[in-house]
Each structure stands twice: as C-alpha cells, then as structure tokens.
C-alpha cells in the first residue's frame, strides 16, 4: 500500500485550523499572531505544519499565552490528543521556540500527558530558577480553553508550567497533588521565571 503524504498533510489542515479558531474564540479581544515554526529538515517529518499561536494581553489577563496547533494532528489516537499552552510575562521568541521543543518532544516519541514533566535542559529564561516543565491543567484559563472540539475528535489543551528540578524531585517522592498543594500554599506566580522553589 502506498501512503500519499499529501493526503495525510491535507487531513491535518482542518484540525490545525480548528485549534486556531478555538483559541481565537476563547481569547476574543486579544491579538492572536500565528507563527509557522519550521523545526528544521530532520524534525519536520515528525511535526509538519506546526504553528504557535501567540496571544497578547487582553480582557482575559495581562499575560501572554503561547498555544501549539499541530500536535493533535501529528499524534492523535482514536480522535483524542493534546495541544499545549504556556503563559509568560512578555512576548519573546524564546517561548515560541520552547513551545516547538515541547511539541517535538511530545510527537517525537516521548508522549506527554497530564502530570508528566520534561527537562528543558537549561533555565526557562537566562538566570531563571525553573529548568523543567510540568504538564498540568490550564488553571489560568479553565476548562473552556482546555476542551477543544475538532473535526473527527477532541483535543485537550494542557498547561506547560515551568518548575524547578527540586520540585520535580519532590513530586517523584510525594506525588503530583502534594506538589500542587505546595504551589497553592506558596501562592506562586506561575509566570515569574525567577520565583523561589517551593521545596
């Protein structure tokens, strides 16, 4: 059987466009910039057509949001899959690159899910304490952003929360819920790249 790559690619387009439409509807009143991110020739096959939606401050909050569009199309199973959102205090190319890295990590053989984590390999931003990402519910945005209906399926948009290596180690020993309780007790600012570790 010959696989028509063009047909596969064409099938992904409605899903990517539906994610974008969902994000625009949720963030009505905000600017939304679509960035087509080219992962490079060796990675492009894994995640063709990745977009990062860059959402400016507006009625829903004064932070920036970065949302992937293309993960579901590349890695869905039985119509269900994930996209990811990150929040930040500024608009920066660094966060677009981080979202592309998360997307490739997820679609390239290390499937992420709720309560998973991944190392960034360096600080979130230069000088930051956080060098890991924790996949969590999108608490700043709620279930209306999280649940994204798509043609032939459904995507969950999960939050990529920057955390410290010590917090990841604490979670391994004590569980995800215990770490979230620490976050709540400390009242962390999740978009502060220089915040103190809660453990």
């Amino acid at each position: 059987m010959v696989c028509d790559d063009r047909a596969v690619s064409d099938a992904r387009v409605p899903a990517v466009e539906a994610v974008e439409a969902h994000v625009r509807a949720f963030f009505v009143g905000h600017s939304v910039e679509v960035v087509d991110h080219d992962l490079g020739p060796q990675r492009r096959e894994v995640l063709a057509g990745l977009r990062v939606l860059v959402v400016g401050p507006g009625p829903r909050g004064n932070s920036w949001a970065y949302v992937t569009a293309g993960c579901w199309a590349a890695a869905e199973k039985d119509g269900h899959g994930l996209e990811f959102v990150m929040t930040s205090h500024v608009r920066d190319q660094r966060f677009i690159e981080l979202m592309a890295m998360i997307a490739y990590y997820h679609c390239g053989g290390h499937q992420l899910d709720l309560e998973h984590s991944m190392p960034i390999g360096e600080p979130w931003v230069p000088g930051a304490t956080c060098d890991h990402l924790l996949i969590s519910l999108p608490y700043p945005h709620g279930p209306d952003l999280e649940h994204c209906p798509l043609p032939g399926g459904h995507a969950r948009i999960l939050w990529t929360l920057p955390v410290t290596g010590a917090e990841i180690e604490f979670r391994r020993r004590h569980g995800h819920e215990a770490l979230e309780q620490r976050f709540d007790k400390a009242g962390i600012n999740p978009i502060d790249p220089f915040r103190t570790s809660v453990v």
Side-chain angles (χ1 to χ4, degrees):
M1 177 177 170
V2 177
C3 177
D4 184 347
D5 289 338
R6 189 179 62 196
V8 171
S9 178
D10 290 348
R12 292 176 176 176
V13 170
V16 172
E17 290 177 347
V19 171
E20 181 181 336
H22 175 76
V23 170
R24 286 184 184 278
F26 178 81
F27 285 108
V28 67
H30 295 245
S31 67
V32 179
E33 176 189 358
V34 180
V35 179
D36 291 309
H37 191 83
D38 189 346
L39 292 162
Q42 303 206 329
R43 296 180 173 185
R44 192 179 300 129
E45 293 175 18
V46 172
L47 196 55
L50 174 67
R51 297 177 186 171
V52 178
L53 310 174
V54 181
V55 182
R60 289 193 176 270
N62 61 3
S63 60
W64 290 77
Y66 299 81
V67 188
T68 62
C71 290
W72 182 93
E76 61 89 8
K77 291 206 173 24
D78 301 321
H80 300 285
L82 301 180
E83 298 287 352
F84 301 95
V85 59
M86 176 182 283
T87 49
S88 165
H89 60 301
V90 294
R91 189 216 184 281
D92 196 296
Q93 181 66 24
R94 165 70 173 159
F95 301 113
I96 295 169
E97 291 165 0
L98 270 175
M99 295 310 287
M101 181 174 76
I102 292 160
Y104 179 74
Y105 186 89
H106 173 68
C107 298
H110 303 279
Q111 273 211 320
L112 295 166
D113 207 341
L114 190 62
E115 301 183 6
H116 288 188
S117 63
M118 68 170 276
I120 301 173
E122 59 188 9
W124 183 31
V125 296
T129 53
C130 299
D131 58 3
H132 285 69
L133 294 170
L134 181 64
I135 309 302
S136 182
L137 293 174
Y139 295 117
H141 309 296
D144 288 344
L145 179 65
E146 176 188 353
H147 300 292
C148 175
L150 299 175
H154 171 268
R156 288 183 82 187
I157 300 177
L158 296 179
W159 191 22
T160 56
L161 173 65
V163 295
T164 68
E167 289 164 347
I168 292 298
E169 189 54 40
F170 176 88
R171 185 189 62 116
R172 285 190 187 111
R173 289 196 309 268
H174 303 284
H176 186 83
E177 185 62 32
L179 178 59
E180 291 211 334
Q181 287 173 3
R182 288 282 183 109
F183 289 152
D184 290 343
K185 186 174 179 182
I188 67 163
N189 177 357
I191 64 171
D192 177 7
F194 306 106
R195 69 171 179 80
T196 304
S197 181
V198 301
V199 296

